[in-house]
Amino acid sequence: HYWGLGFLKYFQIHQIPNFLLALPVLALTLSGCYSYFWTLLLSSPPTIDSASSGSNSTDTNNGGERSREKSSNSNSSSSSNSKNNKQRRAWAPQPSTPSVLGPRSLLHVSHCLFLSLFAILFVNVQISTRLLASSCPCVFWFAAQAVEGSP
């Protein structure tokens, strides 16, 4: 009541300079969250079928039963080990990814998005930069991405 907090209560004409001061940080976090979620939705993890070129675990022609020819070979265990290693490598993080953020930082980015929207809609926008910079490492990660030029 004293501070005039509430949903969109801070949106007044005489608060435009405060919104302009907070605009760079809020724009950086919102655009960074948008690009993160957009790339996360577009890049799906590889499936087991796409990771191995020829899976020998099931035969679709025999109704899901294991193929007898492949299971009887003595070399099938060594070939299945190499295919399991390929499957493990497909799920491992690739060192050449151009992005600073990966799927493991989903909670950080979600937290940053929530605080950004909460700061815009409910609290004094004057504290939004302090709130985001002190509690979200994503602000600095997004700034690093912007300086680096990676998606």
Side-chain angles (χ1 to χ4, degrees):
H1 169 3
Y2 174 73
W3 290 324
L5 297 178
F7 181 67
L8 300 179
K9 286 193 176 185
Y10 207 69
F11 280 65
Q12 299 169 359
I13 300 278
H14 66 280
Q15 297 297 339
I16 290 176
N18 291 327
F19 278 99
L20 291 176
L21 286 173
L23 184 65
V25 172
L26 290 172
L28 178 71
T29 57
L30 291 176
S31 67
C33 290
Y34 174 78
S35 67
Y36 174 79
F37 285 117
W38 184 254
T39 56
L40 189 68
L41 288 175
L42 289 181
S43 65
S44 61
T47 60
I48 300 296
D49 294 334
S50 67
S52 63
S53 60
S55 177
N56 64 354
S57 63
T58 59
D59 186 15
T60 57
N61 294 334
N62 291 333
E65 294 178 3
R66 197 174 273 256
S67 169
R68 292 180 193 217
E69 295 83 19
K70 291 181 182 177
S71 62
S72 65
N73 289 341
S74 63
N75 292 334
S76 67
S77 63
S78 64
S79 66
S80 67
N81 284 338
S82 66
K83 290 183 182 185
N84 286 339
N85 289 337
K86 287 179 185 177
Q87 290 172 358
R88 284 189 200 120
R89 277 186 254 132
W91 286 95
Q94 301 298 324
S96 63
T97 54
S99 178
V100 175
L101 302 174
R104 293 174 53 185
S105 53
L106 175 67
L107 290 176
H108 289 290
V109 178
S110 300
H111 178 255
C112 186
L113 178 64
F114 171 76
L115 284 180
S116 300
L117 293 175
F118 187 75
I120 291 170
L121 299 175
F122 287 100
V123 301
N124 294 349
V125 78
Q126 297 168 344
I127 65 160
S128 63
T129 56
R130 287 179 277 165
L131 177 71
L132 291 171
S134 66
S135 62
C136 298
C138 295
V139 174
F140 304 106
W141 296 339
F142 295 147
Q145 277 185 334
V147 168
E148 186 182 64
S150 67

